[in-house]
Amino acid sequence: MDISAEMLGERAFSEATMRARLPKAVFKELKKTIDYGAPLDTSIADSVAIAMREWAKELGATHYTHWFHPLTNGTAEKHDSFMDPVGDGTFITEFTGKELIKAEPDGSSFPSGGLRDTCAARGYTVWDCTSPAFVKDIPDGCKVLCIPTIFISYTGESLDFKTPLLRSMDVVGEQALRILKLFGKTPVKVTATVGPEQEYFLVNKEKYEKRLDLKITGRTLFGAQPPKGQEMDDQYFAVVKDKVSHFMKELNRDLWAYGIPAKTQHNEGAPAQHEIAPIFGNSNIACDQNQILMDTLKRVAARTGFACLVHEKPFVGVNGSGKHNNWSLVTSDGEKLIDPGKENIENNLQFQIFLAAILAAVDDHAELLRLSASCPGNDHRLGAHEAPPAIISVYLGDQLDDIVNQIIENGEATTSLQRKMYRAGSLVIPTFKMDATDRNRTSPFAFTGNRFEFRMVGATQSISMPQFTINTIVASKLSDMADILEKSENFEEDAKKLVAEMLRKHQRIIFNGNGYSDEWVKEAERRGLPNIKRMVDAIPYLTTDKTVELFERFGVLNRRELEARAIVMYENYAKTINVEARTMLEMVNRQIMPVVMDYETKLAEGLVALKSLGVSGSAQSQIINDIDSRLGELKVAIKELETRLEKAEQYKNDPKAWAHYYYDEIFSYFDTVRKPVDELETMVGSDVWPLPTYEELLFEQ
Ligand code: ADP
Ligand code: MG
């Protein structure tokens, strides 16, 4: 496989394609909106629609869809064919500007948090011309032109993840421009960017098919620990197996075709775990592309003999999967605003202003940031002795930490740690200048040289909410700072003073040590930093006055929209745990118990036979007793789980109470059901155990 220019983006209606296919004046108009955020001139829509349709048809597309991000963390599409009957039994292919710009899907069939009644259905999807349309190419399936859109209710509220993200990008861009203006810089635009690293597991498809839990819930609800996990540290960056390499080749080809700049791939920490990272770019486009990526991971896996697990915690006992959102701001002139440069960092006042704004934002809105990385699966990672901890802190590294300390003590920094030369001790190895700062793997919000890496996000999550949260909280601090500094008569002096003041106030959020240690938990508590371990405890922070004020101040989301999202999150939690519980019941009642009872009976028959020969059969007798006691324990646990599930119904009209009930009474009870099953797995013959084991799933890809 060559990487050829034509391959890159062949399925995306990219800028280059638009330039080639649109009338010059139309392209120019569209570019104004894409590049500078100018309002879209809708009169060009017909012209764009024709070009888009012709291009899509050449790729084999027969249908088009408005493609949007409802509040499910996934995407939605409803296909319409390009066919239009003309009345004489024939048809023409039709796709108009009107159809490109707006459609009316049923707004009540998606999570709306009460914003839409079942009977009040109208909703709108509206074209986002800044994110390239693309043709979804399913081998042997329909090829569909997908048009990225926002999704709003008839009453005007956002029902999706794209609208607030777009708004937040405008907001943080505008506020960053105000700061840059103080330095005499006037780029046209500042764009929030993200490079999302995506972790995932690949398991053998046939084995996956036999695991109802993986198919229905995305994670194993049962499974005894294998003899080997990840303790040897021999999977991270390890040699990629042939079959996985084939998967990666197919994956890259598909991603590149969609215009996704897939760059880095490697084996991750846990057995059967891998990572893919595209090159960073515009947050909105990266968010769309991350959704395409997750979809493509699953599709390519299915056709190369795998199943791809994107769940945050498919297996107990080994690492779960997350997303690392590498966040930064870039100007239209190409200046990276989160990059302090290599030299004279101590004098880089502009960077120090952005740094102070970010530290203040993260400290003041730590709970909200934690919430933005909340989904049911992520509860298994955050606050559960796994990377990263649920406590939000910022890692700066030695060099920035030293500068921050100088500013805090003296009001300004005058020196910065110098980079040392590395000499390998062998002349054949080149020398080089090392970074002045180490990296920290345990920090949830880590400075990594020219960006901040938010490492808390769950693997299944849309990256929209973490992104629009960071954009908005940083915008609010930049705005506060600009308000003060725009009035200043002595800009440099006042800016330094303001930076020092803010760093002093928010220093507690900086932590450069081991975020996994128990000492940090105690230290964070002493500093007054929140440690929110469960999703259900994070959700209330979406609707506090402070959050509402923040989002309303910049028009990113209003109170009604925030309250609705909180309800959606509570309901999502309760429903997810409910599905897991019911899957457990089904697996125990219909797969595990029947097999164990058969096995036990067979042993018992054997024991009777042994005894008839005058043999004691004491080992057999002991095994039967061990199995029987676990079986009894399991039966009791299952009965109890059923009873608890029945009781959940009474909370259904109160989403918060419902979610809490599911956490306290159902989720917390899962281990009681799981324990006897996992013990039975180690007692029953491997030829009869109905489920592929952890060993098979993790080591026999
Ligand atoms: P890591 O060493 O953290 O695992 P990876 O190479 O897997 O790093 O991914 C790093 C991600 O950060 C990539 O998506 C990369 O494009 C992105 N990135 C690099 N520089 C920037 C930047 N200035 N702003 C935002 N993202 C960036
Ligand atoms: Mg990585």
Side-chain angles (χ1 to χ4, degrees), residues 197 236-237 264 266 268 275 277 324 453:
E197 303 166 49
Y236 190 64
F237 283 17
T264 307
H266 57 83
E268 253 301 329
E275 180 185 297
H324 297 171
E453 185 175 353

Side-chain angles (χ1 to χ4, degrees), residues 284-452:
N284 174 45
I285 297 174
C287 181
D288 284 358
Q289 293 187 334
N290 182 252
Q291 290 288 356
I292 304 173
L293 183 143
M294 287 193 283
D295 187 36
T296 309
L297 278 172
K298 290 177 197 154
R299 288 180 193 285
V300 175
R303 64 171 199 255
T304 51
F306 293 110
C308 179
L309 312 175
V310 182
H311 195 280
E312 286 76 15
K313 192 72 182 174
F315 302 99
V316 168
V318 293
N319 280 359
S321 297
K323 266 192 253 252
H324 297 171
N325 280 20
N326 292 272
W327 175 90
S328 70
L329 297 170
V330 185
T331 74
S332 45
D333 298 336
E335 184 180 355
K336 291 179 175 163
L337 300 179
I338 314 300
D339 187 347
K342 299 264 185 234
E343 311 296 333
N344 299 325
I345 299 175
E346 66 275 22
N347 299 322
N348 191 340
L349 184 58
Q350 181 187 304
F351 171 76
Q352 289 162 13
I353 288 179
F354 280 95
L355 179 65
I358 293 165
L359 288 171
V362 175
D363 186 25
D364 265 357
H365 299 283
E367 295 92 344
L368 187 60
L369 204 50
R370 158 67 176 93
L371 167 70
S372 77
S374 299
C375 64
N378 228 9
D379 269 10
H380 298 278
R381 299 171 68 229
L382 310 179
H385 303 294
E386 197 181 314
I391 307 163
I392 298 263
S393 64
V394 180
Y395 171 83
L396 291 183
D398 295 342
Q399 191 179 40
L400 282 194
D401 200 43
D402 167 58
I403 286 173
V404 165
N405 285 333
Q406 290 181 55
I407 296 174
I408 286 173
E409 273 159 37
N410 313 322
E412 64 179 348
T414 49
T415 60
S416 61
L417 297 183
Q418 291 308 303
R419 299 190 297 154
K420 294 190 197 93
M421 285 306 285
Y422 175 77
R423 287 192 178 75
S426 157
L427 292 176
V428 299
I429 304 294
T431 59
F432 71 97
K433 244 185 184 179
M434 296 201 286
D435 289 290
T437 294
D438 201 353
R439 290 241 210 162
N440 184 312
R441 240 167 42 79
T442 64
S443 176
F445 205 89
F447 181 70
T448 45
N450 55 9
R451 60 193 185 269
F452 277 93

Side-chain angles (χ1 to χ4, degrees), residues 22-36 38-44 48 129:
L22 291 176
K24 226 181 191 153
V26 172
F27 177 69
K28 239 171 108 183
E29 236 356 272
L30 204 56
K31 273 281 277 177
K32 270 199 243 162
T33 303
I34 295 171
D35 289 353
Y36 310 130
L40 180 70
D41 173 1
T42 50
S43 69
I44 64 168
V48 179
C129 71

Side-chain angles (χ1 to χ4, degrees), residues 539-559:
I539 299 172
Y541 291 100
L542 198 52
T543 50
T544 57
D545 287 344
K546 186 172 160 187
T547 302
V548 173
E549 203 179 298
L550 168 82
F551 283 122
E552 286 196 340
R553 175 178 167 199
F554 294 104
V556 173
L557 286 169
N558 63 32
R559 183 181 285 276

